[in-house]
Amino acid sequence: MSEHQIKAPAGERAPNVGIAVRHVRRSHSGKFVRVKKDGGGGKGTWGKLLDTVGDTHIDRNDPNYDSGEEPYQLVGSAVCDPLDEYKKKVASIINEYFTTGDVDLAASELRELGSFEYHPYFIKRLVSMAMDRHDKEKEMTSVLLSALYSDVISSTHIKQGFFMLLESADDLAVDILDAVEILALFIARAVVDDILPPAFVTKAKKSLSESSKGFQVLQTAEKSYLSAPHHAELVERRWGGSTHITVEEVKKRISDLLREYAESGDTSEACRCIRQLGVAFFHHEVVKRALVLAMEIRASEPLILKLLKEASVEGLISSSQMIKGFARLRESLDDLALDIPSAKSLFESLVQHAVADGWLDVTFVNSLGEGVLMEAEDDEKLRRYKKEIVTIIHEYFLSDDIPELIRSLEDLGSPEYNPVFLKKLITLAMDRKNREKEMASVLLSALHIEIFSTRDIVDGFVLLLESAEDTALDILDASNELALFLARAVIDDVLAPLNLEEIGSRLPPNCNGSETVHVAQSLVAARHAGERLLRCWGGGTGWAVEDAKDKIVKLLEEYESGGVVGEACQCIRDLGMPFFNHEVVKKALVMAMEKKNDRMLDLLQECFSEGLITTNQMTKGFGRIKDGLDDLALDIPNADEKFKLYYEHAMSRGWLIPAAFGANGGANGDADAVAMAS
């Protein structure tokens, strides 16, 4: 290359200095020529690797033909958001409803659309679209919400939808001049129509800023509408010119047509009148009032049963409306019994007739559960029991004394009503602060160990979930809190995950209770569920289980290294978790095996003598050790031999329940084997 230097004019730099060697090549003619960087061009060069001359042609008949060699073009497409698609579809349903006014069609289309988790967005879209229209559409919106409530959209989703509207009130006010006034009226109307609980207004305020439009909406609803004299009539007629009758008028017409039917006995005329009301979503009220009339006027019972059967056969009253009517009456039997003393026995008789004739689904009887059937018996005793347990629960919330509560329950001597106690305990706790909710969960663990069976717990939760819709009228977030109680019961080993499936199977499909069970199952399956659920009430009064285990290990180690028995007993007492003392027994025995020091047996003897650790807790602790002996033997080879010695020692001093221990290999062995293995 020194023989062929590239020269530049004087005062200028030679171009491409430093790359000449790489990009200059001798051609066949002996000249040096510049080539492309990748060796793909230039006169006298071979070209790039795999370059071919001219256009290639793919022959599909060639034996070596490969479809992958066919030319193709990448086509981009936007990723669809399911929520955006849902919003577009519901907008079409809403516009069609505003045009036709067909409630049944709108309900059917929404049900077919599915995506039930997006129902709050439907509520928001429906109301926000109606707010910018005439009074006719606003009234139609309120009527549609009443129709969809419970049957298509759950009460939880109704509340969530209205809360989303409150949160977006500032944005709505930009486009709609009187948005605050209109939205306040929608909320007041929802309260009057019984699709929002009155407590919604008060509790929603706590979640909104006082400077927000949503807060102003709630204030307006409360002061201008819900507090006004005759507010129900005022709110129902606020969007005047409606073709729809009010709820009270419908109830009055239903009562009139039923009494007229009881006198005339004309079934076809009665069915025509029911159809003429045009409130298919409210037919459960027809069922309820018809049954009450059959109880009040015993002579009318055959006619009432005939009417309901005819309405069911014709498809006039749907199966879901029939079940809902019976369910509503069942829930009000206590009040009805004040006027009709034999209301409960009469109701059972009507249920039997309806199921036998085939117009009441047998799932209604199955959904009653053992607990509900039990409630229907021995009315006076049950009424006294409920009164007593309310006092006991209130005292517990004040004193936090679990042993005293257990003694009080044992004194009542009504173990068959244990599910009723559970229902009352959680219902009272839900309307209180997190401290009481945590206390209720802790108490549930203690009761399960001492006096409640798993069947009692399951029946109690079934009772709670069957009345979830009524509870939601008084407690804003009842569904979520019930789900937390259920999930916490699983984490505390009070229930097994399979028990949740059993509870769900005993509830009607698509009801609030079933939805709550699904939420609880999701909570249990979530990552780090144990830690989060143990602290779901903000820590409460009790230790988290892991914290309690650490404290137990530390106090036992301190005692083993020369501590005083009395001081160790006091530390156990200070833990304040008598239902968890089986862990003390278990860890004390493991430590005795590891350290080959029988001082731990002296501590257990002192705890038993003082009544600090009960026989049940002692039996459960030994049972957990027995169930985990195979794993324990990996670290302590003579664990089995040691356990036999400790077992004989405990039996000779009366620590254990022989029958319970021998029958199932340790109290609650199945559940605790898992705990031991972990």
Side-chain angles (χ1 to χ4, degrees):
M1 295 305 295
S2 62
E3 297 176 3
H4 300 278
Q5 292 293 332
I6 301 173
K7 296 183 178 180
E12 293 186 22
R13 222 175 142 186
N16 300 322
V17 173
I19 61 171
V21 174
R22 185 179 173 192
H23 297 293
V24 176
R25 185 178 299 163
R26 186 188 293 273
S27 71
H28 293 291
S29 62
K31 295 181 180 180
F32 284 91
V33 296
R34 287 183 53 78
V35 298
K36 294 182 181 178
K37 285 188 177 182
D38 294 329
K43 186 176 179 180
T45 64
W46 289 96
K48 289 184 182 179
L49 184 66
L50 299 180
D51 271 1
T52 56
V53 180
D55 294 333
T56 59
H57 175 69
I58 297 175
D59 185 1
R60 290 185 173 85
N61 297 318
D62 191 326
N64 295 321
Y65 167 72
D66 182 2
S67 61
E69 296 176 356
E70 292 279 3
Y72 62 88
Q73 183 178 4
L74 293 175
V75 179
S77 62
V79 178
C80 295
D81 184 354
L83 180 57
D84 290 338
E85 290 296 313
Y86 180 83
K87 288 179 178 178
K88 290 177 185 176
K89 290 177 181 178
V90 296
S92 173
I93 293 173
I94 293 166
N95 284 322
E96 184 179 356
Y97 169 67
F98 285 155
T99 303
T100 64
D102 191 333
V103 172
D104 292 334
L105 178 61
S108 174
E109 289 180 343
L110 185 61
R111 194 181 285 109
E112 289 173 3
L113 185 57
S115 302
F116 304 116
E117 67 275 15
Y118 293 147
H119 279 168
Y121 293 95
F122 173 80
I123 302 294
K124 179 183 177 184
R125 192 63 181 269
L126 173 64
V127 175
S128 57
M129 287 177 67
M131 287 173 67
D132 203 23
R133 295 192 176 221
H134 297 296
D135 284 353
K136 176 192 173 190
E137 283 80 8
K138 296 183 179 76
E139 176 66 22
M140 290 173 70
T141 296
S142 291
V143 170
L144 180 60
L145 287 175
S146 294
L148 298 176
Y149 174 70
S150 183
D151 283 344
V152 181
I153 302 180
S154 69
S155 60
T156 302
H157 286 157
I158 295 276
K159 287 181 285 190
Q160 290 173 353
F162 273 102
F163 191 77
M164 288 168 63
L165 281 163
L166 291 170
E167 289 181 317
S168 62
D170 293 280
D171 296 331
L172 291 170
V174 174
D175 301 319
I176 303 169
L177 186 62
D178 51 350
V180 171
E181 181 75 19
I182 297 173
L183 187 51
L185 193 50
F186 267 113
I187 288 177
R189 176 64 179 269
V191 173
V192 168
D193 287 347
D194 289 332
I195 64 172
L196 273 183
F200 174 85
V201 176
T202 305
K203 295 189 177 181
K205 278 185 179 180
K206 298 176 183 177
S207 304
L208 296 169
S209 169
E210 293 186 9
S211 60
S212 67
K213 294 287 186 186
F215 192 85
Q216 294 177 30
V217 168
L218 294 171
Q219 281 188 317
T220 304
E222 192 172 30
K223 294 179 179 178
S224 301
Y225 297 113
L226 297 176
S227 300
H230 310 294
H231 67 271
E233 185 176 353
L234 171 70
V235 169
E236 285 176 341
R237 297 185 181 279
R238 182 66 174 75
W239 291 312
S242 163
T243 57
H244 301 281
I245 58 177
T246 65
V247 173
E248 290 306 316
E249 287 173 335
V250 172
K251 289 180 178 179
K252 186 177 183 302
R253 291 190 185 185
I254 290 171
S255 295
D256 291 344
L257 75 86
L258 287 173
R259 291 193 176 277
E260 185 177 340
Y261 167 70
E263 294 176 1
S264 66
D266 191 339
T267 307
S268 58
E269 176 63 18
C271 288
R272 187 189 66 79
C273 291
I274 293 171
R275 191 177 291 105
Q276 199 172 33
L277 287 173
V279 286
F281 60 90
F282 204 54
H283 282 168
H284 57 82
E285 185 70 20
V286 176
V287 177
K288 179 187 172 185
R289 288 179 179 266
L291 295 173
V292 171
L293 183 62
M295 293 180 184
E296 289 176 339
I297 307 173
R298 300 293 298 122
S300 67
E301 180 179 325
L303 287 172
I304 294 296
L305 293 174
K306 180 183 177 184
L307 172 63
L308 293 177
K309 182 178 180 179
E310 185 71 21
S312 175
V313 170
E314 287 186 13
L316 177 59
I317 298 179
S318 67
S319 174
S320 62
Q321 290 288 307
M322 193 70 76
I323 290 174
K324 190 172 181 180
F326 271 87
R328 289 185 60 205
L329 181 58
R330 182 189 68 204
E331 289 160 7
S332 61
L333 281 176
D334 287 337
D335 296 331
L336 193 62
L338 299 175
D339 300 319
I340 309 173
S342 58
K344 292 186 179 181
S345 59
L346 291 173
F347 176 74
E348 287 181 358
S349 173
L350 291 170
V351 169
Q352 290 171 4
H353 277 293
V355 172
D357 285 350
W359 50 271
L360 178 62
D361 199 315
V362 72
T363 56
F364 175 78
V365 179
N366 294 337
S367 72
L368 291 174
E370 295 173 13
V372 176
L373 292 174
M374 178 190 64
E375 271 196 278
E377 300 172 359
D378 203 356
D379 300 341
E380 188 57 38
K381 183 181 178 183
L382 179 57
R383 198 174 291 114
R384 285 199 309 270
Y385 179 83
K386 286 181 176 179
K387 186 177 179 181
E388 292 284 346
I389 61 174
V390 169
T391 305
I392 291 172
I393 293 168
H394 284 154
E395 286 179 359
Y396 167 66
F397 285 153
L398 292 172
S399 67
D400 197 13
D401 190 341
I402 292 177
E404 178 60 30
L405 181 140
I406 291 174
R407 280 194 294 273
S408 299
L409 277 181
E410 288 173 339
D411 290 343
L412 286 178
S414 300
E416 69 274 18
Y417 291 149
N418 286 346
V420 179
F421 177 86
L422 184 146
K423 177 185 177 184
K424 184 62 72 175
L425 170 68
I426 294 180
T427 302
L428 291 174
M430 283 197 300
D431 205 23
R432 291 180 171 239
K433 296 181 180 177
N434 282 349
R435 173 182 176 273
E436 285 79 8
K437 291 168 188 166
E438 175 67 18
M439 290 174 70
S441 288
V442 170
L443 176 60
L444 209 53
S445 296
L447 291 173
H448 181 239
I449 291 165
E450 299 292 343
I451 56 176
F452 276 28
S453 67
T454 302
R455 176 54 48 200
D456 291 335
I457 305 290
V458 169
D459 287 343
F461 274 111
V462 170
L463 284 173
L464 262 173
L465 294 168
E466 284 181 334
S467 59
E469 291 185 6
D470 293 333
T471 306
L473 296 175
D474 303 314
I475 300 169
L476 180 63
D477 204 22
S479 181
N480 288 334
E481 291 191 354
L482 277 174
L484 282 173
F485 272 111
L486 267 173
R488 175 65 181 270
V490 173
I491 296 300
D492 287 343
D493 288 333
V494 174
L495 291 175
L498 284 176
N499 292 138
L500 294 184
E501 295 182 12
E502 179 190 351
I503 291 170
S505 69
R506 289 172 57 178
L507 298 167
N510 300 324
C511 69
N512 269 11
S514 295
E515 184 180 328
T516 300
V517 173
H518 292 317
V519 173
Q521 289 172 324
S522 301
L523 290 172
V524 171
R527 193 177 179 188
H528 306 303
E531 183 178 348
R532 289 195 295 181
L533 289 168
L534 284 170
R535 300 182 184 277
C536 64
W537 310 126
T541 59
W543 302 100
V545 170
E546 291 306 317
D547 293 340
K549 287 180 178 179
D550 290 341
K551 289 182 178 292
I552 290 169
V553 170
K554 287 176 183 176
L555 76 86
L556 290 176
E557 286 176 347
E558 186 176 338
Y559 168 72
E560 194 272 336
S561 62
V564 181
V565 173
E567 187 177 342
C569 289
Q570 185 58 45
C571 290
I572 295 171
R573 193 176 289 107
D574 290 343
L575 283 176
M577 301 178 74
F579 60 90
F580 203 55
N581 281 344
H582 57 82
E583 183 72 15
V584 177
V585 178
K586 173 198 152 189
K587 291 197 179 294
L589 293 174
V590 172
M591 197 171 290
M593 293 178 186
E594 290 175 339
K595 307 285 185 181
K596 298 180 180 179
N597 186 343
D598 292 344
R599 283 196 72 208
M600 291 297 169
L601 298 180
D602 297 334
L603 174 60
L604 293 179
Q605 177 62 54
E606 185 64 24
C607 290
F608 181 75
S609 300
E610 290 186 14
L612 182 58
I613 299 181
T614 64
T615 305
N616 284 335
Q617 290 290 301
M618 200 72 80
T619 302
K620 185 170 183 181
F622 270 81
R624 292 182 63 191
I625 290 289
K626 181 182 177 184
D627 292 332
L629 274 177
D630 291 339
D631 296 328
L632 204 56
L634 298 176
D635 300 316
I636 308 170
N638 63 340
D640 191 41
E641 180 184 342
K642 280 282 187 184
F643 176 73
K644 288 178 181 176
L645 290 174
Y646 296 154
Y647 171 70
E648 291 170 2
H649 181 86
M651 290 296 294
S652 65
R653 283 160 177 74
W655 296 357
L656 307 177
I657 304 171
F661 197 87
N664 57 11
N668 297 318
D670 292 339
D672 296 318
V674 178
M676 183 67 201
S678 65

